[in-house]
Amino acid sequence: MGLSVELRDVSVKYGDFLALKNVNLYVETSEGLVILGPSGSGKSTLLRAVAGLTPVAHGRVYIGGKDVTDLPPDKRRISMLFQDLALFPHLNVFENVAFGLRLKRLPEEEVRRQVMWALELVRLEPQQFMGRKIYQLSGGQQQRVALARALVVQPEVLLLDEPFSHIDLDIKNQLLEELKILHNKLGFTLIYVTHDRFEAVEVGDRIALMRAGEIVQVGKPVDLYKKPRNRYVAEFFGEANIIPASLLGGTREGYAVIRPEDVVIGNSPTYKFKGQVIDITFLWHYLKVEIQSNGHIFKAYVDLETPIAVGDVVEFGFDAKDVYFVAE
């Protein structure tokens, strides 16, 4: 069973640079939370503050309701999987996975039993892999060894810092799916850092989007996509038509956000426009159509069979229920 994680007004400084700014965040027991944001937004710093690897300048960190701000990492009942994996090249697979167990001075028989369990858990056949050196493994196999090492100590909180960023897309997708299965099976609390919104949606029950050391919005993936708090969230969390609210009439200030799949070509929804098709892109399951109108370029996703060509003048629009107004 996992433990809750809470940050209360947490700030972290690197010299004079404020990397985290009074962050407040609560992660439910056994929840899967993704920390999402661009490089330099503070997401890895947040994870290291939870782990106890980076000192907190202000605020408190709680795990399972207990104040752990001043506790070392090995007293926090966590495991962490780093971006560079930090595997030991001079040790074989068995000893890499067994490392945390040996620190606990467990009997050799128990170490062997738990290592075998962890390797099977990540789908590495023990007899085939436990004697291999790290350089004898593929990138995906190394990821599995690192994950086995993190899981073998049976943590109640598992922290992952962009662990799959350097491997092929197909292997990454497979590992993400297996991570979800393991999370549901074992019940640990999962905090996963990434800059990739597609990974975030795949892994997270909720997503915390960061910018410049602050959490901008926390919510379910669909909420960040359909109900962004501001323009930054709307643009970061997927393609969007972002137009001045004044273009839709009325006295609203700020911007209207309309996702491309909600733009309809040829029908007559609430808001109606006319424009010229300037580009069409094939995106596997649909076409992305770009339409120039009223000084703006609108994006629409349409079926592959839609009879449309560059240069066409089309009517298009969207329904009021699909418009979300945000501030700058």
Side-chain angles (χ1 to χ4, degrees):
M1 192 67 176
L3 296 173
S4 63
V5 176
E6 184 177 9
L7 285 76
R8 296 184 191 170
D9 294 319
V10 169
S11 296
V12 171
K13 281 188 173 183
Y14 297 130
D16 293 331
F17 175 65
L18 193 58
L20 284 187
K21 305 171 185 176
N22 297 316
V23 168
N24 289 280
L25 181 65
Y26 186 80
V27 187
E28 299 278 356
T29 298
S30 299
E31 182 181 15
L33 180 85
V34 173
I35 310 296
L36 176 66
S39 178
S41 60
K43 54 190 186 297
S44 291
T45 298
L46 188 155
L47 202 70
R48 293 176 66 86
V50 173
L53 297 172
T54 295
V56 170
H58 176 268
R60 311 304 293 177
V61 178
Y62 297 84
I63 296 179
K66 178 181 178 182
D67 189 341
V68 299
T69 311
D70 301 317
L71 291 182
D74 62 317
K75 303 297 183 184
R76 298 194 180 200
R77 299 161 78 179
I78 63 166
S79 274
M80 185 164 178
L81 183 54
F82 297 91
Q83 185 174 357
D84 63 2
L85 302 185
L87 295 171
F88 303 114
H90 63 289
L91 299 178
N92 61 23
V93 168
F94 182 93
E95 292 301 332
N96 265 279
V97 177
F99 183 78
L101 300 175
R102 297 215 185 280
L103 292 178
K104 295 183 175 183
R105 302 184 182 279
L106 296 180
E108 188 61 29
E109 183 178 341
E110 182 64 14
V111 169
R112 184 176 180 83
R113 185 189 69 79
Q114 292 195 34
V115 170
M116 303 283 270
W117 168 80
L119 288 174
E120 290 175 350
L121 200 63
V122 299
R123 300 176 66 178
L124 288 176
E125 202 287 311
Q127 297 304 324
Q128 182 180 352
F129 287 98
M130 64 183 184
R132 293 189 188 181
K133 291 294 182 67
I134 299 304
Y135 67 83
Q136 296 175 312
L137 304 176
S138 68
Q141 290 167 346
Q142 290 180 22
Q143 300 282 347
R144 292 176 188 275
V145 172
L147 185 56
R149 186 177 63 181
L151 293 174
V152 75
V153 295
Q154 300 182 41
E156 285 161 297
V157 180
L158 180 63
L159 311 175
L160 296 97
D161 190 0
E162 305 217 43
F164 307 139
S165 59
H166 299 310
I167 56 175
D168 294 340
L169 181 61
D170 288 345
I171 297 174
K172 177 195 290 189
N173 290 338
Q174 183 180 0
L175 287 169
L176 288 172
E177 185 61 34
E178 291 178 16
L179 177 62
K180 287 174 59 179
I181 293 171
L182 290 172
H183 176 221
N184 292 331
K185 179 179 180 180
L186 300 178
F188 51 78
T189 300
L190 174 67
I191 305 179
Y192 187 104
V193 161
T194 182
H195 65 276
D196 187 325
R197 67 176 185 268
F198 297 104
E199 277 188 44
V201 171
E202 182 73 18
V203 175
D205 300 319
R206 289 190 304 147
I207 295 171
L209 180 60
M210 295 194 68
R211 177 179 62 178
E214 298 177 306
I215 293 178
V216 181
Q217 185 170 345
V218 183
K220 295 179 180 179
V222 68
D223 293 330
L224 272 71
Y225 186 71
K226 286 292 190 180
K227 299 178 181 179
R229 181 168 294 171
N230 55 37
R231 182 170 181 169
Y232 172 77
V233 179
E235 291 180 323
F236 194 93
F237 209 69
E239 276 200 300
N241 295 291
I242 300 177
I243 60 174
S246 58
L247 195 63
L248 302 185
T251 58
R252 285 182 181 270
E253 294 184 0
Y255 294 88
V257 178
I258 309 100
R259 295 297 179 183
E261 64 270 21
D262 295 323
V263 175
V264 180
I265 295 176
N267 288 353
S268 53
T270 307
Y271 296 105
K272 304 173 184 179
F273 297 90
K274 180 179 280 190
Q276 185 174 41
V277 176
I278 60 172
D279 190 47
I280 299 175
T281 306
F282 172 70
L283 294 177
W284 299 105
H285 301 300
Y286 51 84
L287 299 175
K288 181 173 78 171
V289 179
E290 296 188 10
I291 308 166
Q292 194 163 44
S293 175
N294 294 290
H296 297 275
I297 295 176
F298 291 82
K299 296 181 283 287
Y301 294 160
V302 301
D303 292 338
L304 296 176
E305 295 77 19
T306 302
I308 195 167
V310 172
D312 287 353
V313 175
V314 297
E315 291 185 351
F316 68 97
F318 34 86
D319 199 292
K321 67 179 177 56
D322 297 318
V323 180
Y324 197 77
F325 291 94
V326 300
E328 175 64 35

